[in-house]
Amino acid sequence: MKRILTGDRPTGYLHLGHYVGTLENRIKMQDEYEMFVLNADVQALTDNFDNPEKVRQNVINAAIGNLAVGVDPEKVTYFIQSMIPQIAELTVFFANLVTVARLERNPTVKSEIAEKGFDKTLPLGFFMYPVSQAADILIVKGEIVPVGEDQVPHVEQTREIARKFNSVYGEVFPEPEAVVGKIARLVGTDGNAKMSKSIGNTIYLRDDEETIKKQVMSMYTDPNRVHPTDPGNVEGNPVFIYHDAFNPNTDEVNDLKERYQKGTVGDVEVKEKLVQAINTFLEPIRERHRYYEEHAEEVYEMIEAGNKKALDVAKDTMNRVREAMKIDYPFGL
Ligand code: ATP
Ligand code: MG
């Protein structure tokens, strides 16, 4: 069985972008692969080091989000990054194999630095998180990495690190491949290129009907369409992107698109139908979310079992790494 590594940063509740970008693939792939799902608290601390309470709270929220959509603890190894110290160890060794110039060229890091307004305040830990992410993936020798589009540069960088390590020290690591979801990058409700918990343009998997309604009714549509009788554009229109993703009634979606292009349907009807579709989609997920919020012990069980399994795998990998790097000394502690 091929190994998968994927994960989330515990910085908020999981949302529809996570679903189409990666969660859906986790559910689809958990039967056929040996899957590891990482709760990346160490990475979350790189830009939230001064807000540990936020990260702590969201560790459990991210775990619940996975359970709510159907990630199965019987099939998947779910673990917490900070509880596997071998990842930090491997990060240190990988840091030797990456140049500062290469990190500066990583397009996702570049845009996140700009978005977060880091200039002279850029933490070294944040700047080099792709290196730590390479260690997340390679500590379990992950071969496939289901992610959203923004993570593809990090997987590419992981491949380079694996290749470099193998060529310098001998063959230890696979060169992992990214697998992107049905929608590589779901737009935000505000029309921003990415739905993101850091921006707040989200529909969370646990949102109630009222919240969904509020978010959808205020969504961006075709900015050039002023009256419902104006012919509108469906290409790249967030409302129709969401319809395509979450409304299984394709006849209804096609009818709305046709009428929108002709100028015979108003935004309100399009949005009301979208509220219904998203609500139907989220209903069972929301219910399971609530269940696990009330049964934290089941969430802890999944994490404890996953941590143990991940720790064994990580120790194995580090033995191989130490041997390859010639730091497997004949003396002990
Ligand atoms: P943060 O702002 O803290 O980085 P985030 O919303 O980007 O939060 P992550 O935990 O970083 O969420 O991402 C988890 C996974 O979900 C990654 O594989 C990422 O690519 C994917 N993902 C996140 N947002 C989207 C989106 N809008 N569309 C598609 N995939 C997404
Ligand atoms: Mg992110």
Side-chain angles (χ1 to χ4, degrees):
M1 263 210 235
K2 277 197 172 181
R3 278 205 185 147
I4 288 186
L5 183 287
T6 180
D8 316 289
R9 290 159 40 96
T11 51
Y13 291 111
L14 299 190
H15 54 61
L16 292 178
H18 298 125
Y19 190 86
V20 290
T22 168
L23 296 175
E24 189 175 28
N25 273 339
R26 294 181 199 177
I27 303 154
K28 278 193 199 146
M29 297 170 99
Q30 63 185 346
D31 292 312
E32 290 151 60
Y33 296 86
E34 189 181 358
M35 187 178 295
F36 292 80
V37 181
L38 171 84
N39 192 312
D41 61 341
V42 174
Q43 187 180 124
L45 283 165
T46 62
D47 55 327
N48 292 282
F49 63 89
D50 51 355
N51 200 353
E53 200 51 51
K54 170 180 162 188
V55 174
R56 184 189 174 92
Q57 265 172 21
N58 286 306
V59 163
I60 189 83
N61 292 336
I64 290 175
N66 276 270
L67 286 164
V69 297
V71 168
D72 183 348
E74 299 288 324
K75 298 175 183 161
V76 158
T77 304
Y78 192 93
F79 67 107
I80 310 293
Q81 188 181 10
S82 67
M83 296 181 80
I84 310 298
Q86 287 78 7
I87 297 175
E89 196 183 346
L90 189 56
T91 302
V92 170
F93 297 138
F94 282 173
N96 297 333
L97 310 177
V98 183
T99 63
V100 171
R102 174 64 182 88
L103 276 168
E104 279 169 346
R105 279 199 304 276
N106 183 308
T108 298
V109 176
K110 237 191 213 171
S111 66
E112 286 173 342
I113 288 173
E115 206 177 89
K116 292 173 198 296
F118 287 141
D119 181 21
K120 293 285 176 221
T121 58
L122 173 63
L124 175 60
F126 184 82
F127 176 62
M128 64 173 278
Y129 87 76
V131 180
S132 138
Q133 192 164 320
D136 299 338
I137 296 168
L138 294 174
I139 198 79
V140 300
K141 300 191 177 160
E143 296 164 271
I144 296 172
V145 190
V147 282
E149 189 178 55
D150 62 302
Q151 298 295 306
V152 172
H154 301 339
V155 180
E156 184 52 41
Q157 202 157 7
T158 301
R159 295 167 62 82
E160 286 173 28
I161 290 171
R163 210 174 302 143
K164 182 87 179 177
F165 187 101
N166 292 344
S167 77
V168 175
Y169 301 115
E171 199 71 22
V172 173
F173 294 114
E175 286 183 32
E177 269 170 54
V179 173
V180 169
K182 170 167 83 184
I183 295 185
R185 188 186 297 251
L186 185 69
V187 294
T189 52
D190 62 351
N192 186 296
K194 181 172 170 265
M195 179 180 283
S196 166
K197 30 194 159 111
S198 306
I199 304 176
N201 53 4
T202 46
I203 294 176
Y204 291 112
L205 301 177
R206 74 188 283 280
D207 278 347
D208 60 25
E209 204 170 342
E210 268 316 295
T211 311
I212 293 169
K213 198 168 172 184
K214 215 177 90 209
Q215 284 292 74
V216 171
M217 295 320 274
S218 66
M219 257 179 90
Y220 271 49
T221 56
D222 178 351
N224 300 316
R225 191 175 190 245
V226 184
H227 308 288
T229 48
D230 296 344
N233 206 345
V234 300
E235 280 308 309
N237 184 329
V239 179
F240 285 102
I241 293 174
Y242 285 29
H243 262 297
D244 282 334
F246 303 107
N247 189 347
N249 185 347
T250 44
D251 288 344
E252 179 176 277
V253 176
N254 289 336
D255 170 62
L256 288 173
K257 282 182 181 171
E258 236 170 72
R259 285 158 60 212
Y260 198 84
Q261 284 163 325
K262 283 196 286 202
T264 58
V265 65
D267 276 11
V268 172
E269 185 183 339
V270 177
K271 287 178 170 178
E272 274 169 355
K273 296 224 158 88
L274 181 59
V275 172
Q276 268 169 26
I278 293 180
N279 201 45
T280 306
F281 171 74
L282 286 183
E283 183 77 64
I285 295 176
R286 183 194 299 142
E287 211 143 283
R288 282 198 297 272
H289 209 292
R290 202 173 309 131
Y291 173 86
Y292 286 108
E293 281 173 32
E294 287 160 10
H295 293 81
E297 69 288 350
E298 289 185 37
V299 186
Y300 298 164
E301 247 171 59
M302 167 178 80
I303 294 172
E304 281 173 11
N307 280 345
K308 278 200 193 77
K309 217 176 138 200
L311 188 66
D312 283 343
V313 173
K315 281 180 179 166
D316 260 10
T317 303
M318 283 316 292
N319 285 340
R320 282 287 298 122
V321 165
R322 287 175 161 273
E323 204 184 323
M325 293 183 69
K326 309 212 179 299
I327 51 174
D328 58 332
Y329 300 115
F331 39 81
L333 285 168

